[in-house]
Amino acid sequence: NAPEANNVSAAELAVALMLNAARGVARSDGLVRKGVWDRKFLGREVKGARLGIVGLGRIGSLVARRAQGLGMEVMAFDPYISRQRAQDMGVELVDVLKEMLVKSDFVTVHTPLTNETKGMIGADELACLPTGAVVVNAARGGIIQEDALVDALKSNKLFAAGLDVFVLGPPSVDHPLLQLDNVVLTAHLGAN
């Protein structure tokens, strides 16, 4: 039994999804493979951006450290973490999720799926984000409401998303998230 054995892998995947979504790596890769050399695509820089972490436990705290190493300002929403622990990590702890979201250029989720967290990020929460934000979920499917995420991506409210998990995995080939080129997808690889 090694419950923390895959924490680093999960944190690294979350950061990889964030960077890939922000820089449009998958979009550019797809175009280059089709013979399209589009150098005009503008990605998002993470340096100086504000990252909101939902869940500052073992994995969330590892993501925070890596994000700080990239020059990001880090905030977190986690009602179970003490202010002192967050302060020791150099993370601003926010008491209300929506207060963090309005200030977050990037959001990443690191909570278990429980009755409390199921669907906790829906249309209202996504609407709080600044236009052009990037959302990452490498935790559990169902924490972010998929229909609301699709709508926010299609309307260009969000710049992009990075997802390792779905409500039902694997998703069907006609799943709306698989039809969007501003979503980076992996097959629940966080623990690998």
Side-chain angles (χ1 to χ4, degrees):
N1 182 18
E4 296 186 29
N6 61 5
N7 291 350
V8 170
S9 295
E12 287 179 354
L13 180 66
V15 172
L17 287 168
M18 180 178 66
L19 290 171
N20 276 281
R23 298 300 301 170
V25 172
R27 289 186 216 183
S28 185
D29 177 78
L31 290 172
V32 170
R33 291 174 188 276
K34 292 176 185 173
V36 178
W37 194 255
D38 181 3
R39 296 196 59 220
K40 296 178 196 136
F41 179 79
L42 297 176
R44 301 271 327 263
E45 286 188 354
V46 299
K47 182 179 179 187
R50 294 164 302 195
L51 172 64
I53 299 176
V54 180
L56 195 60
R58 292 185 303 252
I59 296 169
S61 62
L62 291 171
V63 170
R65 270 192 254 152
R66 282 150 180 79
Q68 289 163 335
L70 293 168
M72 300 182 85
E73 297 175 30
V74 181
M75 304 170 286
F77 169 77
D78 190 328
Y80 303 104
I81 296 292
S82 72
R83 286 208 179 282
Q84 186 60 51
R85 177 155 160 69
Q87 185 177 350
D88 290 347
M89 288 187 277
V91 174
E92 176 189 349
L93 191 61
V94 179
D95 294 326
V96 178
L97 177 61
K98 287 184 179 181
E99 288 178 13
M100 181 187 78
L101 294 175
V102 298
K103 301 186 284 185
S104 297
D105 303 305
F106 294 82
V107 173
T108 183
V109 176
H110 300 285
T111 66
L113 181 63
T114 65
N115 288 335
E116 186 180 8
T117 63
K118 185 176 181 179
M120 76 183 298
I121 298 182
D124 290 344
E125 291 75 19
L126 293 171
C128 290
L129 290 166
T131 298
V134 174
V135 173
V136 173
N137 186 0
R140 291 286 180 254
I143 297 169
I144 299 174
Q145 295 174 19
E146 290 178 351
D147 291 344
L149 183 60
V150 167
D151 291 344
L153 288 160
K154 282 184 175 179
S155 70
N156 293 319
K157 169 66 176 175
L158 298 180
F159 180 76
L163 304 174
D164 185 45
V165 291
F166 296 86
V167 172
L168 297 174
S172 64
V173 294
D174 61 344
H175 191 292
L177 287 165
L178 275 65
Q179 311 310 312
L180 302 173
D181 71 351
N182 57 346
V183 181
V184 178
L185 305 165
T186 52
H188 204 164
L189 303 178
N192 293 1

